């Protein structure tokens, strides 16, 4: 199945979802981007350059690791994880960003902007900009800046200007709006490096294409190291880039169940979570450049969302995934903050791996289902990132008193300076 | 349609004898309050503005600059709903002389439903609508309902568009064309220069509709410049800024400085 | 040259250095370890198991990355880095630890202990213990516990008990002493996972062997991706495990200069640094199980040491490296804290890489020398770890006011709870 | 050598008529001070101890338990140097009846130089030395100089050693054998039980030298047990603990409880 064969439908649409909803002033910019992207996609040497760059700079291919201890404890399916956490900068976000970097070079632009929520995409973009020699500005909700200072610190040190966005909810969606505002002003020199498979066409397709490297590798690795395809695949869904990246590798394997794991936060109920499809609190809308499911009220204004994982705390979702969901190709489930903390703990203790809070959503759902599966069945989870970055959040979630003491001592030390 | 003929007539209005451009102003529904909106509109009426955009607040106003972003956000926090905007619009269109167009983001329309929204808009007395995040390529159905209801879909033309694209936009347009004088969001200043003139010229070649020039109009000179090249001057952020500083009195002062010199010519 | 062919000399000695200086009670334990290690080393399937484990769990092989921007800015040699930072847990320490884990399994023990200074080795050991299902206790100087809380946090969450050692200088060497004390009590069930190529024989040989995976990969990669062997190789030297790991790959390539980069701290002068060989402040002694150069006074009591990089802040040094230094095979240089900070900044800005403070010592020395070399010459630096872990130290070194503010806000929030 | 014959004679000393084990005590030079050391030694003399280990403080006392670690560290912080230890040792050997052996870590010896160190040791009146981190395999040169100077290298035997290894250790030993009753560092308590007895038996089979039993001796029963199976009871941490609690008085009390019962038999 070629998701991006628009011959039978409208370009940029996946079923009823997708499209390009942008101010007219960006029309020519987006057209130029589409053309450049199309040319790159058709040029086999571009993909090869991309793969080589990812090998030499980011350590790809990332391995698939068998979690034999966890599988045994649960007594069900054999659990494997795809190790996107081992990428340079610690998450799958780098795949997309380096790909777009190559495209920016092709377009001859010298400045990039990006939105970031958890900070992983901003961190990756700042890294890419440093490596490619681009100017860069990262927009980040002021609340997220306050929550994710470590990432901000690294972005700044890699030479990016980080702008704390004080509009709206001061989180990811507001950073996206601010990026669009920058872009409509500076499109001549500037490429907007969107961080997930959302936004106006061609971004969902483009981000999906770069992230498909995950699924390509993973399919071959499962066959080689696990002896066969997985029965079920789990990936967390924020904007939906790591999920679609992995899922693409198995799109034609109809026997492989694809499961998107959303942020269930405190559980169902508007404002309590960021689950667009698994719960019933979202509806179709058009914002941030695309038509898809949004967590919005009856006026079409967006709701507050909540998740322990900043990277999943987003109002909208990848339109391709919505289409696949409607076609029953992808199942959607939500996982609560509480379940995520438990999944994190057991992963650390039994396997020595620390999934990012985002990725831990995939772990949590997989753990629930693995128990009920047979030991000769296989599960693959996308470990989209590492949890080091989440130390402040995880320490809070685990209510670690030593950590708090440490921070207080540090603060006193700074106060005395 | 209704808007086209209004604008044709309105050019002959006594107030427009000395003004070489018509004036369109902007109000964000419910910001700072509907009462304040009403007072502002009364001032605008005093100065014989020709058109008013009533903006329906949206939570993601990505084409707006900081002042309007704040206004949108505050209005929503004030509890302004779409229905309130329609109710207010009806009162406005019943009371004032100027004509009203709805301005907002597409999701507000989409979520209400194309036909339902436009019918309510018609019912509330509006003459058209401006949806800056709805490209014409996505607008066929909406525009055809609009045409049925005699509502003008106001289309934006921008300096980054090719002539080919401008022609396509002209094709879809009705009422007037909103020509965006420069890149960027609302509220930053634009140099009204040769480049802008050339852009207006490009638009002019491709449409007979009146051309409204927006983004950054804040002085009598700007209006004069627009009058020389186009038809309607759009006054948005500068007026809101004046209101923010001194309320109705500030707004009155602003319009006096902006228009009296021209009107007394 | 086979460093470990003891046929002509005494087993465990490298020139005059090395040996096994341990309490008699550990004699049989060490003999058993030597025998097991010897058997493993002679069993080709053991190395193969090790390589496979490192591939599937830690993402090996790690790539070699060409720092083309930095090379160009300096206008001299082409700089390449070996990406040990991309390993699981973020440094080369995992190589050694997983290797010893396999050995522990072979020996049928179920408990491991380890010392740690910077925390990277403790973090790696906790990870290994979780993965292998061993009990684990990590000894860490109380000062280091206070300085390196993030690593402690992860160790604890992976199920290790972390003991803050309050003896002596409360740093790495004291943690080693404490490990020895644990070991003399629990040797029946317990293996001491030494973290660097120091300590009593067979540890220097054993750690070197596991770390030689770095040099093996790097040599092949340089030939393949850089078109030839490097002219000079730089590695930081704390205990000396990442350096010997990389150097081994090039031992027989006599035209390749090997450069060990020590912690110059505030500069020469006893107590100001942790440079055992590059400065003239150390002398030969016997402690912590081995004969080597130590930073000690005339009574043979150890001096205080200083480095911005906790992982280099150690009194002793790999006896194999001392031997190679005396034979003029390895050159030793020291790099000051100040130079390290500068090297770190330029690496982040021009290449988007964040070396650990330890690794940045290699970067700093390489940068100094690269400028004076020809553009057709090649340099290889061991990027032994990533700098994320050092955020508290780096933020302090860069005097980052936003970071300090963030910590103070966090502290207030905790205080209010 | 000197130590061997001293121990053979000393067994006949009046104080040892009722004691079935000789007593070796331990002092860390300069902790808490040399004056305190002197007072402690006076108490030990009062109780007719047979041997005293004078420990030269080392910065890395990896075979010691917490109390001695602290003592080593504190002594170094007090500014105690190797030369001070020799000076003190000379005063002690000149003044007291018991014989003295040096205890410490090999680096202290190595750094001073094998011959230089042993010559100073001899000169200071010591009869031997205990270096717990110097395995016999590394000790040939040092031991041969010791033999030249008639100093006894005290060798440790441990329960983890094979008989083969014990034989090797016995070969290298002189003066007496320090048999470590259990795994672990100094200062933790040992159960004086069948297992220990068996271990001593194993040592006994392989050497004719007196056997000193160390690690954790703290009660009259322990001494009685050691007396039944071996020759010398080593009292280390328990005595220092007594000193820490109540100084000379505490130490006197400790020895009274430990020895009076035996002595009065
Ligand atoms: C580690 C990690 N995983 C997942 C996500 C969610 O994004 P997406 O759904 O686009 O993969 C993020 C976003 O920041 C992330 O940092
Ligand atoms: C990243 C890193 N590099 C280097 C070192 C120094 O150790 P070694 O000299 O054994 O490689 C450490 C020690 O903690 C480390 O964490």
């Amino acid at each position: 199945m070629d998701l991006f064969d628009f011959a039978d439908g409208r370009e940029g649409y996946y079923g009823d979802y997708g499209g390009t909803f942008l101010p007219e002033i960006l029309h020519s910019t987006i057209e130029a981007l589409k053309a450049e992207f199309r040319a790159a996609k058709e040029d086999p040497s571009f993909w090869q350059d991309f793969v080589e760059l990812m090998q030499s700079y980011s350590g790809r291919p990332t391995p698939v690791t068998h979690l034999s201890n966890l599988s045994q404890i649960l007594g069900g399916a054999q659990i494997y994880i795809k190790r996107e956490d081992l990428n340079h900068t610690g998450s799958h976000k780098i795949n997309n960003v380096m790909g777009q970097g190559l495209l920016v070079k092709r377009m001859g632009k010298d400045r990039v902007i990006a939105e970031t929520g958890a900070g992983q995409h901003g961190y990756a973009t700042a890294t890419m900009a440093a490596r490619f020699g681009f100017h860069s500005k990262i927009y980040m909700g002021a609340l997220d800046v306050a929550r994710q200072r470590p990432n901000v610190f690294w972005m700044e040190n890699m030479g990016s200007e980080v702008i704390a966005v004080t509009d709206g909810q001061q989180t990811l969606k507001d950073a996206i709006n601010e990026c669009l505002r920058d872009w409509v002003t500076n499109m001549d020199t500037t490429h907007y490096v969107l961080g997930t498979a959302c936004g106006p066409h061609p971004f969902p397709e483009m981000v999906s294409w770069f992230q498909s490297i995950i699924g390509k590798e993973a399919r071959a690795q499962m066959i080689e190291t696990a002896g066969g395809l997985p029965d079920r695949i789990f990936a967390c869904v924020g904007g939906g880039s790591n999920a679609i990246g992995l899922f693409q590798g198995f799109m034609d394997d109809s026997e492989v169940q694809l499961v998107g794991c959303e942020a269930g936060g405190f559980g169902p109920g508007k404002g309590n979570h960021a689950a667009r499809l698994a719960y019933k609190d979202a509806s179709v809308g058009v914002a941030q450049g695309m038509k898809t499911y949004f967590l919005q009220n009856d006026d079409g204004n967006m709701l507050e969302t909540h998740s322990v994982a900043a990277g999943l705390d987003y109002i909208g979702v990848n339109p391709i995934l919505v289409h696949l969901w409607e076609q029953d190709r992808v199942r959607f489930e939500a996982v609560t903050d509480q379940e995520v903390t438990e999944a994190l703990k057991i992963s650390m203790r039994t396997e020595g791996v620390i999934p990012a809070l985002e990725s831990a959503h995939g772990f949590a759902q997989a753990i629930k289902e693995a128990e009920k599966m047979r030991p000769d069945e296989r599960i693959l989870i996308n470990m989209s990132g590492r949890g080091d970055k989440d130390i402040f959040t995880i320490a809070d979630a685990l209510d670690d008193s030593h950590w708090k003491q440490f921070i207080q001592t540090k603060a006193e030390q700074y106060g005395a300076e | 349609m209704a808007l086209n003929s209004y604008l044709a007539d309105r050019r002959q209005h006594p107030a427009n004898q000395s003004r070489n451009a018509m004036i369109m102003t902007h109000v964000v529904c419910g910001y700072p309050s509907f009462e304040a909106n009403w007072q502002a509109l009364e001032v605008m009426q005093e100065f014989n503005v020709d058109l008013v955009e009533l903006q329906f607040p949206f939570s993601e106003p990505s084409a707006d600059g900081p002042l309007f972003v704040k206004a949108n956000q505050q209005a929503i926090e004030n509890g302004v709903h779409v229905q309130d905007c329609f109710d207010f619009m009806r009162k406005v269109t019943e009371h004032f002389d100027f004509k009203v167009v709805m301005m907002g983001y597409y999701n507000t329309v989409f979520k209400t439903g194309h036909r339902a929204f436009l019918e309510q808009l018609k019912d509330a007395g509006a003459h058209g609508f401006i949806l800056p995040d709805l490209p014409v390529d996505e607008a066929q159905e909406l525009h055809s309902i609009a045409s049925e209801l005699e509502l003008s879909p106001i289309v934006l033309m921008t300096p980054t568009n090719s002539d080919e694209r401008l022609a396509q936009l002209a094709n879809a347009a009705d009422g007037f064309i909103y020509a965006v004088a420069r890149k960027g969001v609302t509220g930053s200043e634009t140099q009204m220069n040769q480049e802008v003139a050339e852009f207006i010229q490009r638009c002019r070649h491709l449409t007979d509709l009146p051309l409204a020039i927006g983004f950054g109009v804040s002085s009598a000179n700007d209006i004069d410049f627009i009058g020389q090249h186009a038809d309607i001057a759009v006054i948005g952020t500068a007026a809101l800024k004046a209101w923010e500083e001194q309320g109705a009195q500030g707004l009155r002062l602003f319009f006096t400085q902006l228009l009296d010199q021209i009107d007394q010519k």
Side-chain angles (χ1 to χ4, degrees), chain A, chain B:
Chain A
M1 158 163 41
D2 182 359
L3 293 166
F4 307 105
D5 176 6
F6 302 120
D8 295 340
R10 278 201 290 160
E11 183 181 344
Y13 270 87
Y14 312 92
D16 285 338
Y17 310 100
T20 312
F21 294 85
L22 278 183
E24 185 58 33
I25 193 130
L26 287 172
H27 184 262
S28 61
T29 307
I30 277 282
E31 288 299 317
L33 178 62
K34 274 200 275 192
E36 197 71 52
F37 169 57
R38 199 58 67 209
K41 200 168 174 180
E42 276 158 19
D43 172 2
S45 78
F46 183 88
W47 182 260
Q48 198 180 315
D49 288 353
F50 170 62
V51 170
E52 275 167 23
L53 176 61
M54 295 313 290
Q55 284 175 350
S56 66
Y57 189 66
S58 189
R60 299 207 74 90
T62 59
V64 156
T65 306
H66 182 203
L67 301 189
S68 45
N69 304 326
L70 185 60
S71 306
Q72 205 174 339
I73 288 168
L74 298 174
Q78 299 308 309
I79 301 177
Y80 295 81
I81 53 177
K82 175 67 173 163
R83 301 294 300 281
E84 293 303 300
D85 62 303
L86 292 177
N87 271 301
H88 184 47
T89 73
S91 82
H92 72 293
K93 294 284 178 192
I94 194 81
N95 302 327
N96 167 42
V97 150
M98 297 307 288
Q100 292 201 41
L102 287 173
L103 213 57
V104 173
K105 226 173 79 180
R106 248 179 109 105
M107 291 189 289
K109 295 187 173 184
D110 70 350
R111 178 172 178 270
V112 292
I113 55 174
E115 87 293 346
T116 194
Q120 282 306 103
H121 173 59
Y123 184 8
T125 303
T127 299
M128 178 273 275
R131 175 76 179 176
F132 279 99
F134 300 144
H135 302 282
S136 58
K137 200 179 244 182
I138 312 293
Y139 293 94
M140 191 166 180
L143 259 187
D144 289 331
V145 168
R147 292 193 288 200
Q148 309 280 337
R149 174 57 58 183
N151 279 331
V152 177
F153 178 81
W154 297 121
M155 288 181 236
E156 290 180 342
N157 274 293
M158 280 184 297
S160 282
E161 194 181 342
V162 180
I163 305 291
V165 177
T166 53
D167 302 328
Q169 297 176 21
Q170 316 198 357
T171 60
L172 179 58
K173 70 175 187 59
D174 310 291
I176 293 180
N177 294 336
E178 205 57 34
C179 267
L180 289 172
R181 290 182 195 113
D182 183 313
W183 209 21
V184 300
T185 314
N186 304 299
M187 70 285 268
D188 293 341
T189 58
T190 300
H191 175 68
Y192 175 14
V193 183
L194 223 153
T196 186
C198 282
H201 179 67
F203 283 107
E205 178 182 357
M206 188 163 74
V207 177
S208 298
W209 189 51
F210 291 128
Q211 294 293 4
S212 71
I213 196 169
I214 305 175
K216 281 205 181 79
E217 288 175 7
R219 189 176 191 280
Q221 288 166 325
M222 283 302 291
I223 291 172
E224 198 188 306
T225 72
L229 291 178
D231 297 279
R232 300 186 197 176
I233 295 182
F234 297 84
C236 66
V237 180
S241 70
N242 87 84
I244 194 70
L246 182 60
F247 291 171
Q248 280 171 97
F250 304 87
M251 210 47 84
D252 295 328
D253 303 309
S254 57
E255 70 278 23
V256 179
Q257 279 191 33
L258 311 176
V259 187
C261 306
E262 291 184 291
F266 303 128
K270 289 186 181 187
N272 282 341
H273 61 83
R276 288 73 33 116
L277 302 180
Y279 292 157
K280 299 289 158 241
D281 296 323
S283 57
V284 181
V286 177
Q288 311 215 303
M290 63 181 164
K291 183 189 288 186
T292 188
Y293 271 73
F294 286 101
L295 287 158
Q296 56 182 333
N297 67 13
D298 293 340
D299 284 344
N301 287 322
M302 300 301 150
L303 298 171
E304 302 258 346
T305 53
H306 164 79
S307 169
V308 68
L312 303 186
D313 203 353
Y314 180 55
I315 48 169
V317 64
N318 183 334
I320 312 168
L321 287 177
V322 177
H323 176 56
L324 293 170
W325 172 66
E326 288 194 341
Q327 300 209 309
D328 283 335
R329 183 69 190 93
V330 175
R331 172 157 60 89
F332 268 80
E333 304 285 353
V335 174
T336 64
D337 291 353
Q338 177 68 39
E339 291 167 328
V340 163
T341 310
E342 290 308 314
L344 185 65
K345 280 195 216 163
I346 195 171
S347 307
M348 292 194 288
R349 286 200 181 233
T350 63
E351 298 287 357
V353 297
I354 310 176
L357 283 164
E358 290 80 10
S359 323
H361 283 70
F363 281 64
Q365 184 62 29
I367 287 171
K368 276 196 232 176
E369 300 190 18
E371 291 182 307
K372 295 171 217 131
M373 293 169 69
R374 292 190 321 272
D376 63 346
E377 290 184 288
R378 300 182 197 93
I379 273 178
L380 176 63
I381 310 170
N382 205 4
M383 179 158 171
S384 56
R386 56 175 148 89
D388 309 36
K389 69 171 178 72
D390 293 321
I391 190 162
F392 284 90
T393 318
I394 295 179
D396 287 358
L398 301 177
D399 202 28
D400 189 285
S401 63
H402 284 143
W403 175 257
K404 292 181 182 177
Q405 240 167 28
F406 164 69
I407 293 299
Q408 288 179 315
T409 310
K410 252 331 213 185
E412 277 162 31
Q413 183 185 321
Y414 291 150
E417 271 173 13
Chain B
M1 281 189 239
L3 189 53
N4 306 43
S5 55
Y6 165 71
L7 288 175
D9 291 355
R10 183 73 184 179
R11 219 184 264 275
Q12 315 309 325
H13 189 273
N16 286 331
Q17 296 307 341
S18 54
R19 292 182 197 166
N20 59 357
M22 289 184 280
I23 305 293
M24 177 164 79
T25 57
H26 188 120
V27 155
V28 178
C29 290
Y31 176 79
S33 66
F34 283 114
E35 294 68 44
N37 290 157
W38 191 265
Q39 288 175 44
L41 291 168
E42 283 180 328
V43 174
M44 292 166 184
Q45 167 93 321
E46 272 175 42
F47 286 86
N48 287 303
V49 310
D50 305 289
L51 279 167
V52 171
E53 304 174 75
L54 284 188
Q55 179 165 5
F56 283 32
F58 180 50
S59 58
E60 316 304 311
S62 55
D64 279 294
L67 205 64
F68 282 130
V69 169
K70 189 178 134 243
N72 274 269
Q73 194 175 316
Q74 195 61 55
I76 293 171
E77 278 171 29
N78 291 348
V80 171
H81 291 286
V82 172
Q83 197 50 55
D84 303 322
C85 298
F86 282 127
D87 294 346
F88 181 67
M89 184 180 266
R90 182 176 306 101
K91 280 197 274 181
V92 169
T93 57
E94 282 169 0
H95 182 83
F96 293 104
D97 292 345
F98 51 72
K99 296 299 174 211
V100 167
V101 295
M102 177 267 176
M103 187 267 168
Y105 288 82
Y106 177 54
N107 198 42
T108 309
V109 180
F110 178 83
K111 188 71 181 143
T112 310
H114 287 171
R115 182 168 294 274
F117 189 90
L118 292 187
E119 281 175 353
Q120 288 184 73
L121 199 60
K122 183 76 189 173
D123 190 52
H127 280 67
F129 54 89
I130 306 174
L131 300 171
D133 66 337
L134 181 66
V136 295
D137 327 73
E138 299 280 359
Q140 286 93 328
E141 198 210 58
L142 188 72
H143 285 192
S144 86
I145 300 171
S147 156
E148 214 181 284
L149 297 175
E150 300 212 314
L151 286 167
S152 296
I154 314 301
V155 164
L156 278 69
M157 290 185 174
T158 77
T160 61
N161 290 128
S162 64
D163 285 351
E164 195 189 338
R165 178 69 177 175
L166 289 179
Q168 195 183 337
L169 295 171
N171 241 344
D174 191 44
F176 63 92
I177 296 277
Y178 196 135
V180 176
R182 55 155 183 78
K183 300 165 189 170
V185 290
T186 56
S188 7
E189 223 161 302
T190 306
Q191 291 288 52
M192 294 297 170
N193 56 18
Q194 189 52 26
E195 214 177 298
V196 175
E198 278 164 16
F199 162 58
I200 298 174
Q201 215 45 44
R202 286 213 291 138
C203 301
R204 186 75 297 164
H205 278 303
L206 292 157
T207 181
D208 292 330
L209 291 175
L211 291 177
I213 308 299
F215 286 43
V217 177
S218 61
S219 72
N221 278 349
D222 291 344
I223 295 188
D224 190 50
F225 177 92
I226 291 170
Q228 285 169 41
H229 301 87
D231 309 289
I232 304 168
V234 183
I235 296 160
T237 305
L240 182 55
K241 213 177 273 169
W243 175 275
E244 299 255 285
E245 278 159 16
Q246 289 185 273
Q249 199 44 46
L251 192 61
R252 195 167 282 116
L253 202 68
F254 169 74
F255 279 117
T256 305
Q257 284 167 357
L258 193 70
L259 297 175
D260 266 17
Q261 187 185 345
I262 301 175
D263 290 351
Q264 260 122 57
K265 258 201 225 159

